[in-house]
Amino acid sequence: MLELDNLHVRYTPTKKLLSPAAKPVKALNGVSFSLGPGQTMGLVGESGSGKSTLAKAILKLTDVHSGAINFEGQDVTQLNRKDSLSFRKNVQGVLQDPYSSLNPLHDVGVIVGDPITRHLGIKRRDTRNQRVRELLTLVGLSADFLERKPHQLSGGQRQRVSIARALAVEPKLLIADEATSALDVSIQSQIINLLKKIQQEKQLALLFIAHDLEVVKHIATDVGVMYLGYLVELGKTETLYSEPTHPYTKMLLASIPVPNPKQQEKRKALRQSFINAEPPSPSNLPMGCPFANRCPVAMDICKKEMPDPTVTANGFSRCHLHTSGPKLDGETVVDFIKKQAHT
Ligand SMILES: Nc1ncnc2c1ncn2[C@@H]1O[C@H](COP(=O)(O)OP(=O)(O)O)[C@@H](O)[C@H]1O
Ligand code: SF4
Ligand SMILES: [Mg+2]
């Protein structure tokens, strides 16, 4: 359904008079993956890794520098007006901030109803309101909400309205970018369960972006890990969490707190084996692997060449340990890193 092929996105700063032109920010660097109906791909990575840029590129909210985004076989960067309209119906986004994404002057009936008129051509007020009521029920809100304005809703209720609005036009792909990050834990899990249920019922493809790995684990069938605009690892969720192949994924996983104190100590030790350094700037990326200055097992080649994605048993990994690195002889990267950290 969705296929990204070697996608690059750059932000070019506007040139200020009399000052030298600033370098472009390389926000996405050759991202490729595909997503099918009923599949949920989680996307994780520290802040600034390009997750929102990826969402915006797919939603046509930012320009693509090179590469392709194919939706049902059509390159979305090249759509004519008519196809653009149908693309906007099929691909919907729910973004982080439900406060700014809902028009404060409109009531919920209009917020959820407008896209129904625009994309499905339903103009009759009673038919449209009936549909809005059904959608509100689907997201766990009663029909009383029809006449409420955004300021009369809690954060969780606003996010439910955003989801209802996105689902109103029966999209095939839903992109949720940090859609639950601003909410407290119990509301967050309610929304996740809701998304999961709707996604399964409607066979929606879901791209679920969050910096919280625990949240992603609960919803995603597949997970992609982003670092400085690169997709560095991709694989099935369970295996990616239990046997990560990329050192950066391992570092992210070691940062998740666990209730067991012994396990927590182990994680802390592993976390400390990574070099405490600032990531490079996305407008001045190194020639080699961008994680090299934080990676405890970096080799000479890592500073010279960016590794290509290499197929692993679970998906792919962009790390020299899988290409010209030391032979692992069946040993997992996790164990390898631990051993290196203790020698
Ligand atoms: N409109 C913009 N102009 C310039 N740089 C931007 C813009 N939006 C994002 N960036 C930069 O692009 C990189 C990726 O950002 P983003 O996609 O928001 O990452 P994430 O969502 O993972 O935090 C960051 O370095 C960020 O500062
Ligand atoms: S390519 Fe090298 S520096 Fe980059 S993550 Fe792999 S081992 Fe570490
Ligand atoms: Mg973001």
Side-chain angles (χ1 to χ4, degrees), residues 11-13 25-28 45-54 56 62 177-178 209 226 228-229 282:
Y11 295 108
T12 313
V25 175
K26 292 183 175 172
L28 286 184
E46 289 162 316
S47 170
S49 56
K51 306 180 298 296
S52 295
T53 301
L54 187 62
K56 283 186 203 145
T62 195
D177 182 10
E178 306 277 7
I209 301 174
M226 305 266 312
L228 277 169

Side-chain angles (χ1 to χ4, degrees), residues 278-300:
E278 284 295 310
S281 153
S283 49
N284 199 13
L285 287 173
M287 186 159 84
C289 170
F291 192 57
N293 71 329
R294 301 168 79 185
C295 180
V297 290
M299 302 162 280
D300 284 346

Side-chain angles (χ1 to χ4, degrees), residues 124-234:
R124 274 190 57 157
R125 206 182 149 83
D126 50 348
T127 321
R128 188 173 113 155
N129 278 350
Q130 179 53 32
R131 180 87 189 106
V132 175
R133 273 188 221 102
E134 285 165 17
L135 284 156
L136 291 180
T137 311
L138 185 73
V139 299
L141 294 175
S142 69
D144 310 344
F145 282 85
L146 213 72
E147 280 159 21
R148 295 204 198 160
K149 295 238 165 70
H151 74 269
Q152 296 170 304
L153 309 175
S154 70
Q157 288 165 346
R158 284 193 185 98
Q159 205 52 303
R160 283 167 199 259
V161 170
S162 297
I163 296 170
R165 179 180 58 179
L167 295 174
V169 296
E170 294 163 10
K172 294 179 178 171
L173 167 65
L174 187 66
I175 300 178
D177 182 10
E178 306 277 7
T180 62
S181 306
L183 307 173
D184 66 49
V185 178
S186 69
I187 315 261
Q188 194 171 30
S189 63
Q190 279 176 28
I191 304 262
I192 302 276
N193 289 338
L194 173 72
L195 276 176
K196 219 166 155 174
K197 184 169 152 261
I198 297 168
Q199 187 261 338
Q200 279 160 5
E201 275 172 20
K202 311 240 170 210
Q203 279 298 294
L204 263 180
L206 177 61
L207 183 62
F208 187 87
I209 301 174
H211 62 271
D212 186 334
L213 278 87
E214 277 297 288
V215 171
V216 170
K217 192 179 178 183
H218 284 114
I219 193 165
T221 49
D222 300 74
V223 174
V225 181
M226 305 266 312
Y227 187 68
L228 277 169
Y230 292 96
L231 189 60
V232 294
E233 179 163 6
L234 181 79

Side-chain angles (χ1 to χ4, degrees), residues 1-7 33-35 57-58 67-79 87 91 173:
M1 181 186 282
L2 177 73
E3 235 171 45
L4 267 59
D5 184 16
N6 202 16
L7 190 68
F33 69 83
S34 61
L35 184 65
I58 301 169
I69 304 170
N70 291 311
F71 181 76
E72 296 189 318
Q74 265 187 317
D75 186 347
V76 309
T77 62
Q78 311 286 332
L79 295 180
F87 173 80
V91 183
L173 167 65

